Amino acid sequence: MLLSQFEGKKVLFFGGKGGVGKTSLASATALGLAQRGRRVLVVSTDPAHNLGHLWQARLGDEATLVAEAGAGGTVHAVEIDPQRTVDRHLAAVGETMRKMLPERMHTAAERHLRLARQAPGTHESAMLERIAEAVEAGAHEYDLTIFDTAPSGHTLRLLALPEQLGGWTEQLLANRDRSERFSAALRGLTPGAEDGPERRDAQLRRVLIKRRERFANLHRLVTNRDECGFVIALAAEPLPVAESVELAERLGELSIPIAALIANRRSPADAGELLAARREAEDRQLALLRGRLPQIPSTEVPLLSGELLGQHALSRLAEELFGEI
């Protein structure tokens, strides 16, 4: 069932409440699809950085090969470093500002950037730029990019940003248009005026247009049902189920398609009274979930014995998700 839901997708997001196994399910999905010949990139946007621990590999901001699965299938993994991402983002902004602003304003610009480092929204904006970069790189080098995301609230803020920032950039461009028309009128009145400001205006326009296109492309992708899907991971317990319903409703408001619900670590029904009772309670929660979200495909993964670390353990989880090759 999951194979059909993921067929043809270019990007998958795995999200849900913290602690429900998003990283494990995202990684097992990557491995299961790699075993079927796909080249997959897994990108962790979660500051907790569990991805490298799970794969027992040293990961960073560059793609690292973590599995070769035969039939040409591979899994590469990236852990986005939030602080490094913010540093890179502000360095790029600073370089652009220095090119565009007169030298007398450079000191003030540097002071503004130092303050911006701790400003609300800077981290999200930087992370969104990095996600857009990963999507663009993944489209050329991989068949599928999977994002292992931070807990629900943070992820929703990120996914809402492309449209918001795109609109903000549109407004900046409109303001530049008015400014450039005014400048042109002044040049007509004062022939021979220096063209330095005009060159800076043109460069700023190029930067803004590139930024607008990047956000517009990302927004088109995450709302395209054929190419993108959001997988909600959950535990069959009251709080994760309630949060999953909330998350699904919010994703619907953002027009982001949901590919599947995965109930992780289901208790066995035949391992004693305690677990049997727990299984019955889980059944009730899943019945509630399916009643609230009947249109979304769902599947279940049993609680597995042993520690879930390394490729062998992930292969077992992939079998539970997709069946044997």
Side-chain angles (χ1 to χ4, degrees):
M1 184 279 296
L2 280 181
L3 280 177
S4 65
Q5 296 304 316
F6 298 162
E7 191 66 36
K9 296 288 191 291
K10 300 294 184 185
V11 174
L12 289 172
F13 289 89
F14 277 71
K17 186 174 174 60
V20 298
K22 295 185 296 291
T23 303
S24 301
L25 292 172
S27 295
T29 297
L31 185 57
L33 293 174
Q35 289 168 344
R36 289 156 178 82
R38 300 190 74 179
R39 296 166 301 157
V40 186
L41 174 67
V42 185
V43 180
S44 172
T45 68
D46 190 340
H49 284 340
N50 293 320
L51 190 63
H53 179 66
L54 179 63
W55 283 98
Q56 297 182 311
R58 190 179 183 86
L59 302 180
D61 209 53
E62 302 298 325
T64 299
L65 179 66
V66 292
E68 292 181 282
T74 58
V75 180
H76 286 76
V78 168
E79 281 184 340
I80 294 178
D81 183 329
Q83 191 55 55
R84 182 180 173 189
T85 299
V86 170
D87 290 344
R88 284 179 52 202
H89 176 72
L90 291 178
V93 170
E95 184 179 351
T96 301
M97 289 174 72
R98 282 188 292 273
K99 287 179 181 177
M100 293 179 183
L101 293 173
E103 190 171 348
R104 67 179 184 276
M105 297 181 68
H106 286 187
T107 301
E110 292 292 341
R111 185 169 60 250
H112 172 76
L113 286 176
R114 285 194 298 272
L115 293 172
R117 187 174 298 278
Q118 304 303 327
T122 297
H123 176 271
E124 284 84 356
S125 180
M127 287 293 286
L128 188 69
E129 290 272 9
R130 186 65 185 87
I131 287 171
E133 287 176 10
V135 167
E136 290 167 6
H140 293 99
E141 300 173 32
Y142 303 95
D143 302 312
L144 173 68
T145 301
I146 295 176
F147 286 95
D148 165 36
T149 70
S152 307
H154 184 266
T155 298
L156 284 172
R157 287 195 297 275
L158 277 180
L159 291 175
L161 273 178
E163 189 172 16
Q164 294 170 3
L165 290 178
W168 180 69
T169 306
E170 282 288 354
Q171 186 60 47
L172 285 178
L173 281 167
N175 291 341
R176 297 311 302 174
D177 284 341
R178 288 192 289 271
S179 174
E180 287 167 15
R181 287 196 296 270
F182 182 67
S183 297
L186 285 179
R187 287 197 301 275
L189 294 173
T190 56
E194 62 170 335
D195 62 350
E198 286 69 52
R199 283 200 301 269
R200 287 195 292 269
D201 280 347
Q203 186 176 5
L204 177 57
R205 168 172 284 281
R206 286 194 295 271
V207 170
L208 289 174
I209 288 173
K210 181 179 179 182
R211 185 180 177 87
R212 178 187 65 184
E213 289 175 351
R214 169 170 278 178
F215 291 144
N217 288 337
L218 185 58
H219 182 254
R220 276 195 294 271
L221 174 69
V222 300
T223 56
N224 185 328
R225 185 170 297 277
D226 294 329
E227 295 190 348
C228 180
F230 198 103
V231 180
I232 299 178
L234 63 129
E237 300 168 0
L239 286 179
V241 165
E243 189 165 317
S244 297
V245 171
E246 237 177 80
L247 175 57
E249 290 172 349
R250 185 73 180 103
L251 290 169
E253 292 169 7
L254 295 172
S255 300
I256 296 172
I258 303 173
L261 302 163
I262 302 180
N264 196 22
R265 304 173 188 148
R266 288 280 272 130
S267 299
D270 56 355
E273 290 183 12
L274 176 64
L275 289 177
R278 184 177 177 85
R279 174 77 179 207
E280 288 180 8
E282 291 174 358
D283 289 342
R284 289 192 293 273
Q285 289 301 317
L286 293 184
L288 175 65
L289 178 72
R290 290 172 181 134
R292 294 290 301 275
L293 304 172
Q295 73 282 10
I296 303 174
S298 63
T299 191
E300 302 174 17
V301 176
L303 179 66
L304 299 178
S305 63
E307 196 171 13
L308 188 57
L309 286 175
Q311 186 171 337
H312 178 70
L314 286 170
S315 291
R316 290 172 55 217
L317 183 54
E319 282 183 20
E320 295 293 344
L321 284 168
F322 299 112
E324 295 186 17
I325 300 175

